[in-house]
Amino acid sequence: MTAPDFDAPEEVTWQGDWITAKKRGRWEYCSRAHNIRAAVILAVENGEIILVEQYRVPLGQRSLELPAGLIGDDDGGEDDDPLSAAKRELLEETGYEAEHWEEIGEFFSSPGMVSESFTLLKATGLKKTGPGGGVGGEDIAVHRVKLSQFPETLKDFRRGDVAIDTRMLLALGPHLLGDL
């Protein structure tokens, strides 16, 4: 099976410091500039998950998300890797450190529009060692949520006009799939 436009030349139509807009044949899409990727942290323990809430300019509202951050986005970060980025971001955003880390794999959040990927890492053995909240005025709120109450928690956030990141499906999955 041959996909339309798969062999068309890729054209950069615009590039900023962090985002590149591209076109290949009839397809228009975005990517991270400079091959920057993301690390996303699934921090779970004792039937609870650690979530972050922060304002997202593209949405014009706050968003409920898993802790995450870019890999190699800092000056001198060319040798950054998913695990070191995940450790740094978990501490900065939530104030937690993890004793155990497991790399789950690479995922693509919206492959029809964005070529960006993220590496998902599971963090357990959590210990609160810092204030969290992010850096540089990020204003991140940290939430420790019971997985057994996850569907109701998401409804509460939606009623509060908080956007729900697609990665929340990880924790919502068992409630949706039931006993399949």
Side-chain angles (χ1 to χ4, degrees):
M1 181 163 102
T2 303
D5 301 322
F6 84 97
D7 60 350
E10 184 176 74
E11 170 189 348
V12 173
T13 59
W14 177 85
Q15 182 164 336
D17 292 336
W18 302 103
I19 302 292
T20 302
K22 298 178 179 181
K23 186 172 183 176
R24 184 183 299 264
R26 296 168 290 169
W27 284 88
E28 296 175 337
Y29 54 98
C30 295
S31 68
R32 288 278 184 191
H34 317 294
N35 296 314
I36 291 175
R37 298 170 297 123
V40 177
I41 303 111
L42 178 62
V44 291
E45 190 162 65
N46 299 327
E48 296 181 325
I49 185 170
I50 306 295
L51 304 175
V52 294
E53 176 189 348
Q54 60 186 312
Y55 185 82
R56 293 298 193 180
V57 171
L59 303 178
Q61 67 189 101
R62 293 185 70 79
S63 177
L64 186 66
E65 309 168 357
L66 294 176
L70 298 177
I71 303 167
D73 63 329
D74 295 326
D75 287 335
E78 298 81 18
D79 295 327
D80 205 6
D81 60 77
L83 180 59
S84 62
K87 287 179 176 181
R88 177 183 66 246
E89 294 295 335
L90 183 64
L91 181 59
E92 286 176 2
E93 292 191 359
T94 70
Y96 284 90
E97 293 186 75
E99 186 177 339
H100 306 287
W101 288 91
E102 177 186 355
E103 187 172 314
I104 305 300
E106 183 179 23
F107 295 86
F108 297 85
S109 55
S110 187
M113 188 180 109
V114 179
S115 65
E116 177 188 37
S117 69
F118 65 90
T119 300
L120 180 66
L121 297 104
K122 183 177 179 182
T124 56
L126 303 175
K127 181 179 179 183
K128 184 83 167 167
T129 62
V135 295
E138 284 181 308
D139 189 28
I140 295 173
V142 180
H143 303 281
R144 192 166 179 138
V145 175
K146 291 185 182 308
L147 290 167
S148 63
Q149 299 171 354
F150 202 72
E152 295 80 19
T153 299
L154 289 186
K155 287 178 187 176
D156 289 343
F157 276 101
R158 281 194 177 99
R159 281 192 286 270
D161 198 31
V162 175
I164 307 299
D165 186 283
T166 187
R167 293 169 191 93
M168 295 299 97
L169 290 170
L170 283 167
L172 193 56
H175 300 279
L176 293 173
L177 297 173
D179 295 330
L180 294 180

